[in-house]
Amino acid sequence: GAVVSQHPSWVICKSGTSVKIECRSLDFQATTMFWYRQFPKQSLMLMATSNEGSKATYEQGVEKDKFLINHASLTLSTLTVTSAHPEDSSFYICSASILAGDSYEQYFGPGTRLTVT
Amino acid sequence: RKEVEQDPGPFNVPEGATVAFNCTYSNSASQSFFWYRQDCRKEPKLLMSVYSSGNEDGRFTAQLNRASQYISLLIRDSKLSDSATYLCVVNRYGNKLVFGAGTILRVKS
């Protein structure tokens, strides 16, 4: 159980285009999903918390108009990188949390490697 | 000061060795603690949650010291397949997580 999928696994696009990344919980319902970004040799940085049926909560320094998040159902959250630029090239990973005992465990999708040329 | 600090390593150990990683966290209100494993260019995978009483899962033992805000991971009888980056993870509040930068382990034959 606790499988999270992401699509696409990698994408190359030209500067100025928009890219949509999908995150799905395959065998459970997730009211909350998270979007992270990871640059080479750095740790995961939380970008935003995606809540089903409501607006996403963005971390400080993350532009909500650039990184659009939609959590339309209990099994799907999408991240759209609008007007992508080379500095947006990164590894984008989503996760979904499950209550396990007294704490929430997070399970990650396989990630999407975005390269903007 | 970073919220979660780890020694980046790398730790280079022979097969069969015992290796320990440490991690400190700054938020005394944190309630949940985890070790994740991340292979190169892959997503993090949950290795184990860390409980106050300490817990063991096969060759892996995790300890938590709340007073010192310190978490450890011990790996016994290292295998080649244990080579990875080990991430110390702490919740900020609720179910938001903060990741350490990771400790690189290389197990060599």
Side-chain angles (χ1 to χ4, degrees), chain A residues 9-65:
Chain A
S9 54
W10 58 270
V11 59
I12 301 172
C13 70
K14 292 188 177 180
S15 189
T17 60
S18 294
V19 175
K20 180 189 272 190
I21 303 171
E22 292 186 350
C23 177
R24 293 181 186 273
S25 56
L26 297 187
D27 51 359
F28 64 101
Q29 294 182 328
T31 54
T32 302
M33 292 184 175
F34 300 90
W35 287 96
Y36 294 83
R37 182 166 52 179
Q38 186 176 32
F39 292 106
K41 299 188 188 297
Q42 294 187 25
S43 189
L44 276 75
M45 296 299 295
L46 179 64
M47 299 175 66
T49 303
S50 172
N51 303 297
E52 188 269 336
S54 64
K55 290 183 179 180
T57 305
Y58 290 81
E59 296 300 302
Q60 193 172 12
V62 178
E63 299 175 57
K64 62 180 181 181
D65 294 329

Side-chain angles (χ1 to χ4, degrees), chain A residues 56-99:
Chain A
T57 305
Y58 290 81
E59 296 300 302
Q60 193 172 12
V62 178
E63 299 175 57
K64 62 180 181 181
D65 294 329
K66 180 165 182 65
F67 298 100
L68 300 178
I69 291 172
N70 187 324
H71 195 150
S73 76
L74 287 171
T75 59
L76 173 64
S77 174
T78 60
L79 168 69
T80 301
V81 183
T82 62
S83 187
H85 291 285
E87 58 266 30
D88 297 323
S89 298
S90 187
F91 190 44
Y92 291 85
I93 314 176
C94 71
S95 73
S97 63
I98 295 177
L99 184 61

